[in-house]
């Protein structure tokens, strides 16, 4: 299924070449290439903490239970970016548990799992474009809660995710064997069916001040938007504190 196509700029800060791309759902037959791209992106990351690597086996079994991979292919049909989305249902990995989402809503949760863009193709908004495609696909299938984790040290990803309407609802260590281990992650959420709420307070936090943000979240504030230039986060409290 083709989800989109157009032109993008390869090597935006170097030779700059215009190239055709198309976006489509990938089958299991291309999973090895997906894993290779993930490895390439990981190897090029200055801070490895920002990307939790998915294994071939885990992704394969997840695809067999309905997870999807939206791929972006260049003019030579090479995968240059992908977004992996999963539908965790009542499985304990559902991020809804981390924000105390009502039990009857867990089956409506979509996980925006990993996204990677080949460094040569960055700056074409592929993270946002694949997110829009994921939202369109999932909405059609009756899902309305979008959730993901983002490392507090991954400014680019946090900015893109919040720009697309997800709000910070929790900050905790994830992907470890217990609460003490693991990697710091914001947990973000948006509910397409939720009407706008009534804000009653606003507090500004520096992007890197995790202690302050954790305290604000504990007091019922939601990380509402991030300002690109100042790298400040606006935390807002609503009169309806419920998610
Ligand atoms: C996060 C990520 C997917 C964003 O890629 P993208 O969609 O191409 O980013 P954007 O198009 O929004 O980029 C906006 C600007 O930020 C820059 N940028 C994006 N990611 C960057 C990065 N990791 N390092 C430095 N600059 C980056 C782009 O070059 C662009 O700048 P420009 O307009 O001057 O060219 C990509 O950086 C990436 O693959 N990171 C590693 C994996 C990761 O962290 N995934 C998210 C968690 S699963």
């Amino acid at each position: 299924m083709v989800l989109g196509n157009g032109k993008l700029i390869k090597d935006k800060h170097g030779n700059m070449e215009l190239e055709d791309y198309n976006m489509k759902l990938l089958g299991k037959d291309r999973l090895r290439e997906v894993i290779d791209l993930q490895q390439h992106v990981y190897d090029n990351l200055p801070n490895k903490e920002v990307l939790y690597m998915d294994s071939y086996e885990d992704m394969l079994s997840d695809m067999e239970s309905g997870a999807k991979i939206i791929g972006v292919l260049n003019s030579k049909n090479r995968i240059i970016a992908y977004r992996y989305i999963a539908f965790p249902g009542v499985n304990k990995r559902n991020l809804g548990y981390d924000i105390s989402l009502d039990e009857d809503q867990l089956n409506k949760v979509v996980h925006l799992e990993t996204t990677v863009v080949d460094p040569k193709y960055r700056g074409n908004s592929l993270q946002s474009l694949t997110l829009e495609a994921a939202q369109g696909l999932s909405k059609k299938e009756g899902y309305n809660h979008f959730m993901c984790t983002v490392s507090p040290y991954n400014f680019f990803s946090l900015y893109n995710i919040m720009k697309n309407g997800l709000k910070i609802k929790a900050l905790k260590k994830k992907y470890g064997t217990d609460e003490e281990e693991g990697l710091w992650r914001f947990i973000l959420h948006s509910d397409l069916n939720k009407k706008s709420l009534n804000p009653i307070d606003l507090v500004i936090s520096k992007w890197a001040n995790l202690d302050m943000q954790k305290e604000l979240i504990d007091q019922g504030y939601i990380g509402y938007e991030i300002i690109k230039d100042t790298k400040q986060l606006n935390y807002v409290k609503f009169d309806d504190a419920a998610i």
Side-chain angles (χ1 to χ4, degrees):
M1 190 204 316
V2 175
L3 300 169
N5 49 44
K7 291 204 184 290
L8 45 70
I9 304 170
K10 180 184 179 186
D11 204 4
K12 200 174 170 190
H13 298 282
N15 291 334
M16 294 231 288
E17 271 172 60
L18 207 57
E19 196 174 349
D20 289 317
Y21 79 89
N22 69 76
M23 197 194 305
K24 63 179 188 188
L25 285 179
L26 301 178
K28 287 181 273 185
D29 57 321
R30 300 207 69 172
L31 190 51
R32 286 276 172 215
E33 288 168 76
V34 162
I35 295 292
D36 288 348
L37 176 60
Q38 176 183 235
Q39 188 65 50
H40 175 66
V41 167
Y42 182 80
D43 291 343
N44 282 282
L45 279 177
N47 177 0
K48 311 285 184 214
E49 258 201 39
V50 305
L51 183 64
Y52 177 76
M53 299 269 278
D54 301 302
S55 71
Y56 176 86
E57 291 71 25
D58 286 350
M59 282 182 85
L60 182 64
S61 84
D62 214 13
M63 283 177 95
E64 281 162 356
S65 350
K68 293 183 170 51
I69 300 178
I70 297 169
V72 180
L73 302 135
N74 72 359
S75 54
K76 297 194 178 82
N77 197 31
R78 183 168 74 76
I79 302 168
I80 54 162
Y82 70 82
R83 176 176 287 285
Y84 160 29
I85 59 173
F87 309 93
V90 290
N91 187 294
K92 66 176 189 328
R93 76 185 244 238
N94 192 320
L95 294 169
Y97 291 111
D98 292 298
I99 62 163
S100 307
L101 196 67
D102 287 345
E103 293 254 335
D104 64 349
Q105 295 297 301
L106 294 171
N107 278 317
K108 301 272 176 75
V109 170
V110 186
H111 276 186
L112 304 167
E113 306 274 3
T114 325
T115 317
V116 305
V117 176
D118 183 320
K120 281 265 177 229
Y121 289 89
R122 293 211 179 128
N124 285 288
S125 301
L126 293 180
Q127 186 178 18
S128 285
L129 286 173
T130 54
L131 177 50
E132 283 163 24
Q135 286 177 325
L137 270 179
S138 314
K139 227 160 97 176
K140 259 195 229 147
E141 293 183 18
Y143 294 91
N144 58 292
H145 292 283
F146 290 85
M147 299 203 65
C148 69
T149 65
V150 179
S151 162
Y153 311 111
N154 197 346
F155 181 80
F156 296 104
S157 187
L158 186 62
Y159 177 79
N160 281 336
I161 291 288
M162 294 188 79
K163 192 177 76 183
N164 282 284
L166 281 86
K167 318 282 184 219
I168 298 173
K169 302 274 173 81
L171 172 58
K172 61 195 293 190
K173 284 198 171 174
K174 296 288 286 181
Y175 311 125
T177 42
D178 60 51
E179 284 270 316
E180 291 306 307
E181 281 185 40
L183 305 167
W184 279 110
R185 288 293 185 261
F186 285 123
I187 296 172
L188 293 103
H189 168 245
S190 76
D191 176 359
L192 298 182
N193 294 343
K194 187 89 185 177
K195 292 182 286 310
S196 56
L197 302 165
N198 205 11
I200 50 170
D201 195 23
L202 165 77
V203 179
I204 295 167
S205 168
K206 286 209 173 98
W207 159 58
N209 191 342
L210 298 190
D211 289 339
M212 177 175 177
Q213 293 180 70
K214 205 163 176 357
E215 235 170 75
L216 287 168
I217 293 166
D218 289 345
Q219 290 167 26
Y221 287 77
I222 287 171
Y224 204 72
E225 62 179 347
I226 186 162
I227 314 297
K228 200 171 192 176
D229 299 341
T230 56
K231 292 198 170 161
Q232 283 175 335
L233 272 151
N234 291 344
Y235 274 81
V236 178
K237 198 170 196 171
F238 295 94
D239 61 359
D240 171 6
I243 305 162

